[in-house]
């Protein structure tokens, strides 16, 4: 498994709109496209300081070849749709890719 990790920042006023775009348009478009090997996404959000909200998107793929199928040969380049560019204050130009080496989940009740 490969996690594709990318960061973007909005103003506090644009944060809810960007999150809506992710939930309702961008991530569903990724899932609906013919992206064999795409396994889902996680979105993280935090108030970075008084004038920015940071978002981290983590896209999960079966392999680096699956990432290349999704993003093209220049797979390290960020994939930022125009609607997102309109509400983002700044963003990473490149995504980072990590091989998932271990993953554990524990039940909420501790059992």
């Amino acid at each position: 498994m490969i996690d594709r990790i990318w960061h973007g920042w909005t103003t506090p006023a644009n944060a809810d709109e960007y999150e809506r775009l992710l939930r309702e348009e961008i991530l569903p478009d990724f899932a609906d496209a013919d992206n064999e090997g795409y396994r889902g996404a996680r979105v993280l959000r935090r108030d970075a300081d008084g004038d920015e909200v940071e978002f981290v998107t983590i896209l999960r793929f079966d392999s680096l070849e699956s990432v290349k199928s999704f993003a093209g040969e220049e797979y390290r380049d960020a994939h930022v749709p125009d609607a997102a560019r309109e509400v983002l204050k700044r963003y990473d130009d490149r995504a980072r890719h990590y091989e998932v080496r271990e993953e554990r989940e524990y039940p909420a009740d501790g059992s």
Side-chain angles (χ1 to χ4, degrees):
M1 286 293 226
I2 300 292
D3 279 2
R4 176 183 171 95
I5 300 176
W6 176 85
H7 297 81
W9 293 263
T10 68
T11 63
N14 286 337
D16 288 342
E17 175 60 12
Y18 180 63
E19 186 172 339
R20 185 200 67 75
L21 282 169
L22 284 170
R23 289 176 185 266
E24 297 178 12
E25 297 179 27
I26 297 168
L27 295 177
D29 285 351
F30 291 169
D32 291 343
D34 186 19
N35 294 321
E36 188 171 332
Y38 173 65
R39 297 294 170 236
R42 175 174 274 174
V43 175
L44 310 177
R45 175 179 169 165
R46 77 176 183 101
D47 291 336
D49 59 36
D51 65 341
E52 288 188 325
V53 177
E54 179 183 10
F55 287 86
V56 179
T57 59
I58 305 169
L59 306 182
R60 174 139 305 171
F61 293 88
D62 284 340
S63 66
L64 198 53
E65 290 307 313
S66 298
V67 173
K68 289 177 181 177
S69 177
F70 164 77
E73 283 303 311
E74 298 298 324
Y75 67 94
R76 291 179 184 95
D77 291 349
H79 179 78
V80 186
D82 290 339
R85 291 174 192 261
E86 290 179 18
V87 294
L88 287 165
K89 180 178 177 182
R90 63 187 177 98
Y91 54 87
D92 290 344
D93 291 332
R94 314 246 313 162
R96 292 185 178 93
H97 300 85
Y98 297 85
E99 183 179 342
V100 177
R101 304 293 292 190
E102 176 86 20
E103 184 170 358
R104 298 181 189 195
E105 291 190 26
Y106 298 96
D109 64 4
S111 59

